[in-house]
Amino acid sequence: MNRKNILLIIAVLVVAVLLLCVACFTRPTAEESQVVITVAGKEYARVPLSQPGQVTITQEDGSVNVVEITEKGAVMAYSTCGNQLCVDMGEVTVDNWEWRPNQQFIICLPNQVSVELVVSQEP
């Protein structure tokens, strides 16, 4: 290996370390993150992760959805829809929202309910 190759390797390693530091310091935080629940296109509730609990959505047609909110995220705990895909979507959290298949959403199409995790980035 000559001197140019060694300098190139060092430069690549420095850039990689800098990118890793930036990624670590800009991770989402649960403190100010919130769950936004929408029913038929209209905002139904906005709950900060700092206030865990359950939100029950009962619609006029008898449809019921229960969203469980924890300090880390949200999950569709119950739904009266026939296919139960929203319940099977699992939990969306500040740790997994970037890499999960449907990202920060849980959607119940039959009941027109969506749950979105709005994450807060650290400064």
Side-chain angles (χ1 to χ4, degrees), residues 33-37 45-56 66-77 91-92 115-117:
S33 298
Q34 54 189 323
V35 174
V36 178
I37 301 170
R46 186 176 289 261
V47 182
L49 295 185
S50 60
Q51 298 175 0
Q54 284 190 341
V55 176
T56 302
V66 177
V67 179
E68 188 172 317
I69 300 166
T70 66
E71 296 86 9
K72 290 278 191 174
V75 65
M76 186 75 71
E91 186 176 19
V92 59
V115 177
E116 177 184 9
L117 177 63

Side-chain angles (χ1 to χ4, degrees), residues 15 59 99:
V15 169
Q59 299 183 54
W99 54 264

Side-chain angles (χ1 to χ4, degrees), residues 4-47:
K4 287 183 181 180
N5 288 341
I6 293 173
L7 290 175
L8 179 64
I9 291 171
I10 291 172
V12 168
L13 289 175
V14 167
V15 169
V17 168
L18 288 174
L19 289 175
L20 182 61
C21 289
V22 168
C24 288
F25 289 117
T26 60
R27 293 195 47 96
T29 62
E31 290 83 27
E32 295 181 20
S33 298
Q34 54 189 323
V35 174
V36 178
I37 301 170
T38 307
V39 179
K42 296 180 182 172
E43 188 173 309
Y44 180 84
R46 186 176 289 261
V47 182

Side-chain angles (χ1 to χ4, degrees), residues 89-123:
M89 286 183 165
E91 186 176 19
V92 59
T93 67
V94 293
D95 296 328
N96 74 4
W97 72 275
E98 289 182 302
W99 54 264
R100 49 179 281 151
N102 53 5
Q103 294 192 335
Q104 72 263 29
F105 289 96
I106 299 171
I107 300 172
C108 182
L109 284 178
N111 295 351
Q112 298 182 358
V113 175
S114 69
V115 177
E116 177 184 9
L117 177 63
V118 179
V119 296
S120 173
Q121 299 287 332
E122 285 183 350

